[in-house]
Amino acid sequence: MGVRQEDDINAKIIPPKEQEISDEIEIKVKKYLRGEGANLEVLHDKKLKGQLAVREELYGKSAKAAAKAEKWLMPSEGGYLEAEGIEKTWRIKQEAIAREVDILSRKNQHDIVLPELGPYTMNFTSSGRYMAVAGRKGHLAIIDMKSMGLIKEFQVREAVRDVVFLHNEQFFAAAQKKYPYIYNRDGTELHCLKEHGAILKLQFLKNHFLLASVNKFGQLHYQDVTTGQMVGNYRTGHGRSDVMRVNPFNGVIALGHSNGSLSMWKPTSSAPLIKMLCHHGPVSALAFHSNGHLMATAGMDRKIKLWDLRKFEVLQTLPGHAKTLDFSQKGLLAASTGSFVQILGDFSGSQNYSRYMNHSIAKGYQVRNVLFRPYEDVLAIGHSMGWSSILIPGSGEPNFDSWVANPFETSKQRREKEVKSLLDKLPPETIMLDPRKIGTMRPMRKKEKPSKQERDAEMEAAVADAKNSITRKKKTKGRNKPSKRSKKVQEAVERAKRPFLEEELSQKKKQKISEQSELPKSLQRFVRKTA
């Protein structure tokens, strides 16, 4: 017995390194578990108890698999600025950050001054490796952010209002003075989209291969870039709008209008899905969180509001004005006006944003656009004298998925990914407010009202059943006269007809009440009242 107990003790001994790893995985498992497990001991139904036990086991296995994936496949951890004592993070300057970071990160801090071609706007690919810049005076360029090398730049000799990459870095669209144009990375003009008109803003829906644009007359266009088909062309009815963003969660386009309202659109509907009043002045900026459930808006009433899109309620209202907004992959919010950029962060996890970092550009540089670079702690700022890049610790996702966005993608991988994304292309009908409804059963419709012929047929069948149900007693003396029999038949027919007649009468009353309610109050008193 003593030998066996000693063997059991030796079997339970785990090396300290493995014990540390197992403890770390257990902590991560608790994070992925859906709350505490169900108490199965109090259940008396054996079938239900077995089903819940199987489900709890599946939850535990999935949480353990997610914890192991986070441990071994996501080794990098994001970090934020941490202040000591009475020090504040928003007082830390970019020069102090540059002295502490490595050489590769320091390369991401730069200022490009092109005063004769600005103001500038920019756009990144989904992997964050390539950046397209567009100057208002006609300057277009593509830059490799990894090697900081210029791939191509050219001059279109007319105003450029916006630029956006298509499904990869090989193609991009530019909103020029009269029409939007599509170019390849060599600067060759491929298409002129004359149906769109004079475009103010462009957005690309990468899962649906749709190029969305809004022109200066308030017309919203959707065009499929694979077939060239115009999927949708709608008038918003709110005039000129230069505030436009796409929700990455569901592909819905949001437009901010000059009357303070915001509308959400999909390509298969000529009417907006949502209309909501956000501000008491024109909407000046708009941004969506990567999870699709949080939206930030800024208005000329000098307020920045954070909205919960699941309930369409305001979560937080911050004082201040912003001409441009953008969310990072980790949830930081950049807001800019004039030559001042402010970064807000939610560090408590309760959707309560507070000041995180500040940055002031050289006096006189007016910021036009701010954009976080994916998978890097970098914020790009387009202003009137060129563009700048600053370091924002904790803004980018530290681990990238090579199946989703690979910054080190080869040409062969890019071709394979392009073919796969075309095969997985989603139709425009899948764009909706809640895409989780796709694949679920549609709820049963209410029973339609029967027509007059059907009601008459039902009543005739009920009358025939009532007549046949009467039993005639032949032996009863004096009570089986023809007059008595006809009276019984008539009573049975009346009883059968009564529910149908009552239903018809109630419908007439409802119709009459609805007609009266349609009249204005001043005329309702002249309606003839019947007892």
Side-chain angles (χ1 to χ4, degrees), residues 100 115 200 212 338 372 381 446 509:
E100 303 297 330
L200 298 178
F372 282 101
I381 305 168
K446 291 182 179 179
K509 282 184 178 179

Side-chain angles (χ1 to χ4, degrees), residues 131-133 139-144 149-155 172 184-188:
M131 180 175 73
V133 295
H139 180 221
L140 290 172
I142 299 179
I143 302 167
D144 186 348
L150 182 66
I151 295 174
K152 184 68 179 179
E153 69 170 337
F154 55 98
Q155 176 66 245
F172 66 94
N184 65 2
R185 67 181 289 169
D186 297 325
T188 306

Side-chain angles (χ1 to χ4, degrees), residues 257-295:
H257 304 289
S258 57
N259 59 358
S261 65
L262 182 139
S263 58
M264 296 186 184
W265 300 79
K266 67 176 183 177
T268 55
S269 174
S270 59
L273 300 174
I274 294 291
K275 276 185 182 179
M276 51 192 293
L277 183 65
C278 295
H279 296 275
H280 296 294
V283 178
S284 58
L286 171 67
F288 286 101
H289 196 281
S290 56
N291 62 13
H293 302 314
L294 187 65
M295 179 180 69

Side-chain angles (χ1 to χ4, degrees), residues 468-486:
N468 296 330
S469 64
I470 297 173
T471 56
R472 299 177 182 178
K473 297 180 182 180
K474 296 180 180 179
K475 294 183 179 181
T476 308
K477 231 178 189 180
R479 294 189 179 181
N480 202 17
K481 293 180 182 179
S483 59
K484 293 277 186 182
R485 287 202 301 269
S486 62

Side-chain angles (χ1 to χ4, degrees), residues 108 110 120-126 128-134 145 162-165 201-203 244-246 286-288 323-329 332-336 341-343 361 367-383 387-392 395-396:
N108 293 322
H110 58 265
Y120 273 85
T121 183
M122 72 282 296
N123 186 251
F124 288 104
T125 56
S126 58
R129 176 164 180 178
Y130 298 94
M131 180 175 73
V133 295
M145 302 302 291
D162 200 7
V163 65
V164 64
F165 275 111
K201 283 290 179 180
L202 285 170
Q203 289 290 323
M244 178 183 183
R245 279 296 180 97
V246 60
L286 171 67
F288 286 101
K323 288 186 178 179
T324 175
L325 294 169
D326 190 47
F327 274 105
S328 74
Q329 290 178 313
L332 297 182
L333 176 63
S336 176
V341 181
Q342 186 177 23
I343 291 87
I361 304 178
V367 177
R368 186 188 175 191
N369 188 21
V370 292
L371 193 65
F372 282 101
R373 182 180 166 192
Y375 303 103
E376 292 286 347
D377 292 345
V378 174
L379 176 67
I381 305 168
H383 48 77
W387 71 88
S388 303
S389 179
I390 62 173
L391 297 177
I392 307 295
S395 63

Side-chain angles (χ1 to χ4, degrees), residues 38-56:
N39 186 10
L40 305 179
E41 299 298 328
V42 298
L43 296 177
H44 300 291
D45 189 345
K46 291 184 178 180
K47 186 178 178 181
L48 178 61
K49 192 174 182 179
Q51 290 175 349
L52 290 177
V54 170
R55 188 166 292 184
E56 289 293 330

Side-chain angles (χ1 to χ4, degrees), residues 104-273:
L104 289 175
S105 299
R106 201 177 303 164
K107 284 183 180 179
N108 293 322
Q109 232 179 16
H110 58 265
D111 293 298
I112 307 296
V113 180
L114 297 168
E116 297 177 357
L117 301 173
Y120 273 85
T121 183
M122 72 282 296
N123 186 251
F124 288 104
T125 56
S126 58
S127 63
R129 176 164 180 178
Y130 298 94
M131 180 175 73
V133 295
R136 189 61 181 260
K137 305 293 177 60
H139 180 221
L140 290 172
I142 299 179
I143 302 167
D144 186 348
M145 302 302 291
K146 181 184 173 186
S147 61
M148 292 305 295
L150 182 66
I151 295 174
K152 184 68 179 179
E153 69 170 337
F154 55 98
Q155 176 66 245
V156 296
R157 298 185 180 179
E158 64 178 2
V160 179
R161 300 186 184 93
D162 200 7
V163 65
V164 64
F165 275 111
L166 300 189
H167 54 282
N168 57 25
E169 73 277 3
Q170 297 292 312
F171 307 97
F172 66 94
Q176 295 177 207
K177 184 178 180 181
K178 288 186 177 180
Y179 313 110
Y181 291 82
I182 295 179
Y183 298 93
N184 65 2
R185 67 181 289 169
D186 297 325
T188 306
E189 180 187 323
L190 302 178
H191 300 287
C192 174
L193 311 177
K194 292 187 177 181
E195 295 181 6
H196 291 248
I199 295 302
L200 298 178
K201 283 290 179 180
L202 285 170
Q203 289 290 323
F204 184 70
L205 284 68
K206 61 180 182 179
N207 294 326
H208 307 82
F209 281 82
L210 292 177
L211 182 65
S213 66
V214 61
N215 61 18
K216 63 182 181 180
F217 303 109
Q219 288 179 317
L220 180 64
H221 295 82
Y222 288 91
Q223 188 158 9
D224 193 328
V225 298
T226 58
T227 62
Q229 179 187 0
M230 185 65 74
V231 178
N233 178 9
Y234 309 117
R235 297 187 71 88
T236 59
H238 294 281
R240 181 188 177 102
S241 174
D242 59 351
V243 180
M244 178 183 183
R245 279 296 180 97
V246 60
N247 190 336
F249 174 65
N250 51 22
V252 172
I253 291 286
L255 295 174
H257 304 289
S258 57
N259 59 358
S261 65
L262 182 139
S263 58
M264 296 186 184
W265 300 79
K266 67 176 183 177
T268 55
S269 174
S270 59
L273 300 174

